[in-house]
Amino acid sequence: MTQSVVVQVGQCGNQIGCCFWDLALREHAAVNQKGIYDEAISSFFRNVDTRVIGDGGSISKGKICSLKARVRYISLDSYITLIFDCNRKESLNVMEGIEMLRIRPGIRTNKKMQGILKILVLIFRAVGHRVFGSLYQDQILEKLRKSAEHCDSLQCFFIIHSMGGGTGSGLGTFLLKMLEDEFPEVCRFVTSIYPSGEDDVITSPYNSILAMKELNEHADCVLPIDNQSLFDIISKIDLMVNSGKLGTTVKPKSLVTSSSGALKTRHKKPFDAMNNIVANLLLNLTSSARFEGSLNMDLNEISMNLVPFPQLHYLVSSLTPLYTLTDVNIPPRRLDQMFSDAFSKDHQLLRADPKHSLYLACALMVRGNVQISDVRRNIERLKPSLQFVSWNQEGWKTSLCSIPPVGHSHSLLALANNTCVKPTFMELKERFMRLYKKKAHLHHYLQVEGMEESCFTEAVSSLSALIQEYNQLDATKNMPVQDLPRLSIAM
Amino acid sequence: MSIVTVQLGQCGNQIGFEVFDALLSDSHSSQGLCCKRENEAYQASCKERFFSEEENGVPIARAVLVDMEPKVISQTLSKAAQSGRWKYGQHACFCQKQGSGNNWAYGYSVHGPRHEESIMNLIRKEVEKCDSFSGFFIIMSMAGGTGSGIGAFVTQNLQDQYSNSLKMNQIIWPYGTGEVIVQNYNSILTLSHLYRSSDALLVHENDAVHKICAKLMNIKQISFSDINQVLAHQLGSVFQPTYSAESSFHYRRNPLGDLMEHLVPHPEFKMLSIRNVPHMSENSLAYSTFTWAGLLKHLRQMLISNAKMEEGIDWHVRPSLSGPSSLGKMSLNKDLHFNTSIANLVILRGKDVQSADVEGFKDPALYTSWLEPVNAFNVWKTQRAFSKYEKSAVLVSNSQFLVKPLDMIVGKAWNMFAS
């Protein structure tokens, strides 16, 4: 069984990461009743016996309840308080002893200066990338190597971060480059939270564009998510729950946003519900690799099938269902409804319109008691309303996993490589240009050693090239399929 | 003589399990419609071909399981052990941690050479267990990474190391609308390599088997295990023991050799297909009766019109009356999609099998001009019924059936490549 390491960077990354680990444990606890450390759990957790004095060897099998499972993740942040939050666990002491690196901002011990610098780092990605990156490069590398060594066969890195802030975008993308140099054959999946229109950070366009350049070049696969969509999803769920439509009730554990049954009782924080959605996304993505099923799909198959050209690796994700009603027997109509929902704008984690844009590829990862005939029936049903690129008319990748997520009887994650991400990028570029033309806030970035104006222009041109590629594909959208003459055999 | 099965990839392993299960449950079935001595001879022959004996009497399948990730193999092993009637050898499997990622190149050029020695060792051990060895039966899919890539590599290796043994590859043609996006690339790469190294390619199309499940078996929610069971039924009805000649009453000793001798007269044409009648759900079986004449008539029309199942046969397609010599008739036949065969083999199992009349298959219009029906057509008859069907007929044919699907796949792959 392959293992993955999760690297969470920045406040956003770490908050999502905390939710992810909670939900992952809950899922494995539901599947694995006896508490035996098995193959499925080993993909994200490492079994350690802390009763052994010394370094504590890793034991591959054995009851988890008496041992501590060490979480395979590296948490990087300049906010120390956040990490403490994650650590405060009573029940299972899972998060103890994680590979953690706290970055203390600078050598200054003056509390006031520390406070100011913290804020600065959060906002200015340049500091995150250049300063902290190079300062702590060795330490970070050390932690990464240690984590990788504990794995029998490391398959991929999951990086969770935001694009708008400083640490997440700056340090996160610096890490990306480092991972590519250090572990070239391990794939890098990046979950990026893109800033929405009304963002709390003013310089987020700068940060995002600079980070995009790195994502373009060094990531294998990017799952862009924006806060506005997550917020819309939450409001929709709240509406359903509160209105009590049709007199039926929603199963409490089934909410995609709920962390009930999680091992740790945390105080509800405002972003919790939204973070849970992203955590569910990651869980569903890796479900076929961790659990058994009739048509498995490993993580390396995702990039193999969904990324036709190396630059175009941005996948729009959508998750259904968001909640389950308490009906026991799910009629096939519900199943079909699930597939239709996956292609509606309401369930997407990124604001985009894939139905009116060109699909390059699409993957359907189904969990639960769904069979191949259901999937095929729905593909046949939905195909006419979707436009696929001319050289990949039947570009569907399916995977069936038998284990459903907690609280649901089945679920669907749809990943689409679609040109509808183009408007998002174009909007980002526009907000960037508005600030850049006036050179607003630029001097803070240029103050940082190693940062020059050329970095900005390079970043913008990289994004423009990407948009251009999408444009070219869009241009082929309504053209009739050209049959190129085939090679003829020399008799 | 024994056959060693090599199961490759998720598809290969899932199907392989169903095949062994079907073979064994048929050989132990009580509805053989023949005398006890006959039944025992049948069982012994089946066991010798596919299973080896262990001390406590549980038969062990003569199989090697190969996959690049551990989940499927462990599932297969446990399912076999759970059935209690048979199991796989403990050390007969080879698996790695990381899959092949649907990448033919990974399977063929990376995983294949890297693990060549271990895999060939496992196969060698299995072959050494056989008293007399007939050949290999390799089960794989074409769309994925492991089955296709490693399958092509292993077949090539077997060609080099066991050049005197026969190899039959059971390949699964993927669904038309993707299970995997790069399936067209993987398929044509696999076929091009297999065509050089394999002796016969037995092709099953997922679309066709899916339709059988839907229309004939009336299954509402078709799962892969349903599909695999239909496949196993078809394969079982081909590979179970049959009589060696019209009059003698001994079971054939060399299944693979006999199959190839009759069906692959020319090494350039090695694509075989299986069609069987009848095929229905158990509930319907209780209410149906069959006659040989009816079954064989349907089978013949299925062959001519290139239908894969009993329902929806196009009865308008007919062979030309004066033989395939005049050009005018040829074009007419092409319009109606007449399926010319190179060679056909009909296997009949069940009650009153000696009275079955197969003259319809000896029509020269069905065959090519360079092979006479007397050489192109063969029939094997066995008294013992197969798997609860009182009468069953299966047709293994070497014909034009795959031309159109092949053309489609090549077209799609070329389209993607030239983009």
Side-chain angles (χ1 to χ4, degrees):
Chain A
M1 178 68 66
T2 54
Q3 284 94 27
S4 321
V5 173
V6 178
V7 183
Q8 31 191 88
V9 195
Q11 174 176 29
C12 172
N14 277 303
Q15 282 182 335
I16 295 180
C18 284
C19 294
F20 173 71
W21 292 115
D22 266 349
L23 291 184
L25 275 172
R26 181 178 76 160
E27 188 173 88
H28 281 283
V31 174
N32 192 351
Q33 303 289 342
K34 292 190 231 148
I36 303 285
Y37 183 77
D38 66 356
E39 294 263 349
I41 293 202
S42 74
S43 58
F44 281 119
F45 296 91
R46 186 161 62 91
N47 213 6
V48 170
D49 189 2
T50 50
R51 289 173 300 181
V52 177
I53 305 165
D55 193 22
S58 303
I59 304 176
S60 51
K61 281 202 178 355
K63 285 196 164 286
I64 304 179
C65 46
S66 60
L67 308 170
K68 286 184 198 176
R70 268 212 202 154
V71 162
R72 297 180 196 286
Y73 83 124
I74 300 173
S75 161
L76 295 150
D77 199 15
S78 41
Y79 259 141
I80 303 170
T81 43
L82 177 62
I83 300 181
F84 271 137
D85 238 356
C86 282
N87 256 336
R88 223 183 297 131
K89 272 185 169 286
E90 277 84 32
S91 38
L92 204 63
N93 274 336
V94 178
M95 304 294 219
E96 253 190 50
I98 47 172
E99 313 288 0
M100 203 167 68
L101 185 66
R102 300 174 197 181
I103 300 175
R104 294 194 188 359
I107 322 151
R108 296 164 220 209
T109 50
N110 186 331
K111 268 250 163 156
K112 192 166 169 214
M113 282 308 281
Q114 266 190 18
I116 296 174
L117 228 66
K118 274 188 217 166
I119 299 172
L120 277 178
V121 161
L122 190 63
I123 298 176
F124 294 112
R125 183 212 162 270
V127 181
H129 190 118
R130 303 277 166 172
V131 172
F132 285 175
S134 38
L135 265 183
Y136 293 95
Q137 185 172 0
D138 291 327
Q139 291 185 34
I140 298 174
L141 208 53
E142 182 59 38
K143 297 277 179 199
L144 282 172
R145 278 211 205 104
K146 222 168 97 178
S147 237
E149 266 162 38
H150 283 297
C151 303
D152 287 329
S153 111
L154 178 62
Q155 187 174 41
C156 73
F157 285 107
F158 282 98
I159 296 153
I160 315 179
H161 71 136
S162 69
M163 300 279 278
T167 317
S169 64
L171 195 50
T173 46
F174 177 79
L175 264 177
L176 201 55
K177 189 146 156 263
M178 206 159 67
L179 288 173
E180 192 183 29
D181 292 332
E182 197 55 35
F183 306 96
E185 68 286 335
V186 180
C187 49
R188 296 164 290 286
F189 276 88
V190 187
T191 311
S192 313
I193 312 293
Y194 277 66
S196 33
E198 320 79 31
D199 199 31
D200 49 349
V201 177
I202 298 176
T203 51
S204 66
Y206 284 155
N207 293 338
S208 313
I209 299 285
L210 291 166
M212 277 288 291
K213 173 163 171 287
E214 307 292 326
L215 285 183
N216 267 344
E217 290 168 17
H218 304 297
D220 280 322
C221 206
V222 180
L223 298 159
I225 301 174
D226 74 42
N227 274 339
Q228 190 56 41
S229 322
L230 293 178
F231 194 67
D232 287 339
I233 293 180
I234 306 283
S235 354
K236 213 175 90 121
I237 296 182
D238 277 341
L239 207 67
M240 262 307 295
V241 174
N242 292 332
S243 72
K245 243 188 199 179
L246 306 169
T248 51
T249 48
V250 177
K251 275 204 240 173
K253 251 198 188 186
S254 71
L255 286 178
V256 125
T257 55
S258 87
S259 49
S260 63
L263 290 146
K264 173 173 92 150
T265 46
R266 265 185 292 128
H267 298 292
K268 262 198 178 296
K269 293 207 217 84
F271 282 97
D272 256 3
M274 293 160 69
N275 293 340
N276 272 327
I277 299 180
V278 183
N280 269 307
L281 165 73
L282 283 174
L283 279 177
N284 281 348
L285 192 69
T286 52
S287 64
S288 190
R290 286 177 292 138
F291 297 119
E292 57 182 28
S294 57
L295 189 58
N296 292 335
M297 175 155 130
D298 223 349
L299 293 164
N300 46 11
E301 293 175 26
I302 296 181
S303 56
M304 171 77 188
N305 281 296
L306 293 172
V307 181
F309 302 105
Q311 285 271 326
L312 309 177
H313 52 241
Y314 295 89
L315 307 177
V316 178
S317 45
S318 63
L319 202 52
T320 58
L322 300 174
Y323 48 80
T324 324
L325 305 176
T326 47
D327 295 345
V328 177
N329 282 325
I330 318 282
R333 252 184 323 119
R334 272 291 143 69
L335 210 62
D336 288 3
Q337 184 61 34
M338 182 172 83
F339 279 89
S340 309
D341 282 341
F343 287 92
S344 80
K345 279 196 264 188
D346 300 329
H347 291 251
Q348 275 165 228
L349 279 74
L350 179 73
R351 259 178 326 155
D353 190 9
K355 273 201 169 163
H356 295 116
S357 317
L358 199 59
Y359 273 89
L360 301 175
C362 187
L364 298 169
M365 308 184 64
V366 191
R367 294 180 70 172
N369 187 19
V370 183
Q371 304 298 350
I372 186 74
S373 57
D374 302 315
V375 178
R376 292 182 58 70
R377 185 180 67 235
N378 281 292
I379 291 181
E380 289 302 318
R381 194 170 57 91
L382 294 166
K383 214 160 60 133
S385 59
L386 306 169
Q387 283 178 321
F388 271 83
V389 78
S390 64
W391 39 262
N392 194 8
Q393 287 285 320
E394 285 93 24
W396 297 86
K397 163 82 184 151
T398 335
S399 98
L400 299 164
C401 174
S402 338
I403 313 279
V406 177
H408 295 265
S409 62
H410 45 259
S411 83
L412 169 67
L413 167 67
L415 294 170
N417 191 342
N418 192 313
T419 55
C420 66
V421 290
K422 192 181 61 168
T424 318
F425 296 157
M426 282 168 62
E427 206 190 296
L428 209 57
K429 185 172 158 201
E430 202 162 311
R431 278 163 42 205
F432 174 88
M433 292 311 287
R434 258 186 273 148
L435 283 178
Y436 190 59
K437 270 196 227 157
K438 303 287 185 192
K439 310 269 195 257
H441 297 283
L442 208 57
H443 62 284
H444 297 290
Y445 287 84
L446 297 176
Q447 261 174 8
V448 177
E449 199 183 297
M451 237 358 228
E452 290 141 8
E453 269 210 50
S454 61
C455 300
F456 284 87
T457 43
E458 267 171 26
V460 174
S461 59
S462 151
L463 186 60
S464 308
L466 184 66
I467 295 178
Q468 190 52 27
E469 283 215 32
Y470 276 114
N471 267 333
Q472 271 179 342
L473 282 168
D474 259 341
T476 66
K477 194 159 61 163
N478 288 319
M479 273 171 25
V481 181
Q482 262 184 334
D483 270 329
L484 296 144
R486 286 213 220 147
L487 305 171
S488 52
I489 306 171
M491 287 290 199
Chain B
M1 290 170 85
S2 323
I3 301 178
V4 168
T5 308
V6 184
Q7 309 177 178
L8 295 156
Q10 174 171 29
C11 175
N13 281 303
Q14 286 177 334
I15 292 179
F17 165 73
E18 298 289 350
V19 170
F20 281 112
D21 210 40
L23 288 169
L24 200 66
S25 49
D26 168 58
S27 81
H28 283 301
S29 127
S30 56
Q31 294 166 310
L33 299 177
C34 57
C35 64
K36 190 165 171 228
R37 195 169 53 94
E38 180 82 44
N39 215 12
E40 278 172 10
Y42 187 82
Q43 273 183 9
S45 179
C46 166
K47 256 205 195 142
E48 194 218 343
R49 276 187 199 183
F50 295 104
F51 298 90
S52 59
E53 278 297 320
E54 213 196 35
E55 299 91 43
N56 56 359
V58 176
I60 301 185
R62 297 188 195 277
V64 176
L65 296 84
V66 179
D67 197 5
M68 287 299 117
E69 46 145 14
K71 292 196 292 270
V72 182
I73 287 193
S74 44
Q75 225 186 350
T76 316
L77 289 175
S78 64
K79 272 206 283 194
Q82 261 173 17
S83 74
R85 290 170 302 171
W86 64 283
K87 58 181 188 178
Y88 283 106
Q90 261 175 341
H91 302 288
C93 55
F94 174 82
C95 70
Q96 285 294 289
K97 299 280 172 58
Q98 270 196 17
S100 301
N102 285 166
N103 195 335
W104 185 89
Y106 235 56
Y108 186 78
S109 317
V110 174
H111 287 304
R114 206 185 277 174
H115 307 296
E116 181 182 343
E117 216 181 293
S118 332
I119 299 177
M120 296 313 285
N121 263 345
L122 278 177
I123 296 180
R124 194 172 43 87
K125 278 204 205 113
E126 210 48 60
V127 173
E128 277 165 14
K129 275 200 239 167
C130 306
D131 286 331
S132 71
F133 179 60
S134 166
F136 294 102
F137 183 57
I138 302 157
I139 314 182
M140 53 196 260
S141 71
M142 286 207 306
T146 309
S148 60
I150 297 195
F153 183 77
V154 164
T155 314
Q156 242 174 282
N157 259 34
L158 291 176
Q159 173 90 324
D160 296 330
Q161 288 190 19
Y162 299 87
S163 41
N164 286 328
S165 308
L166 298 166
K167 290 167 293 298
M168 176 176 271
N169 287 62
Q170 156 72 39
I171 55 181
I172 304 296
W173 201 266
Y175 283 108
T177 63
E179 310 150 10
V180 173
I181 292 176
V182 291
Q183 63 187 35
N184 302 315
Y185 284 164
N186 290 342
S187 305
I188 56 173
L189 285 165
T190 312
L191 276 175
S192 64
H193 281 257
L194 275 184
Y195 222 74
R196 280 183 253 134
S197 43
S198 172
D199 295 312
L201 296 171
L202 198 54
V203 180
H204 270 109
E205 296 168 64
N206 263 349
D207 278 312
V209 183
H210 190 105
K211 275 204 207 118
I212 293 181
C213 284
K215 300 272 169 62
L216 295 182
M217 311 276 286
N218 272 321
I219 304 176
K220 291 281 181 267
Q221 245 195 340
I222 302 172
S223 66
F224 272 121
S225 66
D226 295 318
I227 292 183
N228 292 343
Q229 276 168 10
V230 170
L231 263 166
H233 179 99
Q234 290 192 333
L235 286 173
S237 57
V238 173
F239 281 112
Q240 287 289 47
T242 52
Y243 288 142
S244 49
E246 284 286 0
S247 50
S248 99
F249 287 92
H250 295 293
Y251 284 112
R252 279 180 192 272
R253 300 280 301 159
N254 189 1
L256 280 183
D258 290 336
L259 272 170
M260 309 238 196
E261 181 194 332
H262 290 131
L263 290 167
V264 189
H266 191 299
E268 273 304 304
F269 299 98
K270 40 174 94 150
M271 307 278 249
L272 307 175
S273 69
I274 298 185
R275 293 175 175 80
N276 78 326
V277 289
H279 207 137
M280 52 184 58
S281 62
E282 269 193 53
N283 304 337
S284 321
L285 199 55
Y287 303 105
S288 322
T289 52
F290 311 103
T291 61
W292 284 119
L295 288 176
L296 288 170
K297 191 164 161 211
H298 277 243
L299 201 55
R300 181 173 179 272
Q301 194 60 24
M302 274 163 70
L303 169 66
I304 300 174
S305 61
N306 200 12
K308 301 291 185 331
M309 60 178 192
E310 235 180 312
E311 226 176 273
I313 305 177
D314 183 1
W315 289 94
H316 293 296
V317 181
R318 272 180 232 283
S320 56
L321 290 164
S322 58
S325 45
S326 52
L327 273 172
K329 291 278 164 56
M330 284 291 275
S331 56
L332 183 68
N333 281 335
K334 271 209 188 102
D335 287 339
L336 291 174
H337 312 295
F338 182 79
N339 190 22
T340 315
S341 318
I342 294 179
N344 284 319
L345 171 68
V346 170
I347 304 177
L348 304 170
R349 296 175 193 273
K351 204 160 117 178
D352 298 332
V353 78
Q354 300 301 336
S355 65
D357 171 28
V358 291
E359 285 310 309
F361 285 95
K362 294 187 185 159
D363 187 351
L366 268 64
Y367 300 99
T368 56
S369 52
W370 43 270
L371 202 58
E372 296 293 311
V374 70
N375 296 320
F377 174 70
N378 274 282
V379 58
W380 296 350
K381 297 180 180 170
T382 302
Q383 184 81 346
R384 209 255 191 205
F386 177 70
S387 184
K388 301 187 188 121
Y389 287 90
E390 184 193 62
K391 299 187 176 82
S392 69
V394 67
L395 168 70
V396 188
S397 82
N398 186 343
S399 65
Q400 291 175 309
F401 75 101
L402 210 52
V403 171
K404 214 159 129 221
L406 191 55
D407 199 38
M408 268 175 53
I409 280 200
V410 173
K412 285 191 209 161
W414 175 246
N415 239 349
M416 210 188 256
F417 182 71
S419 66

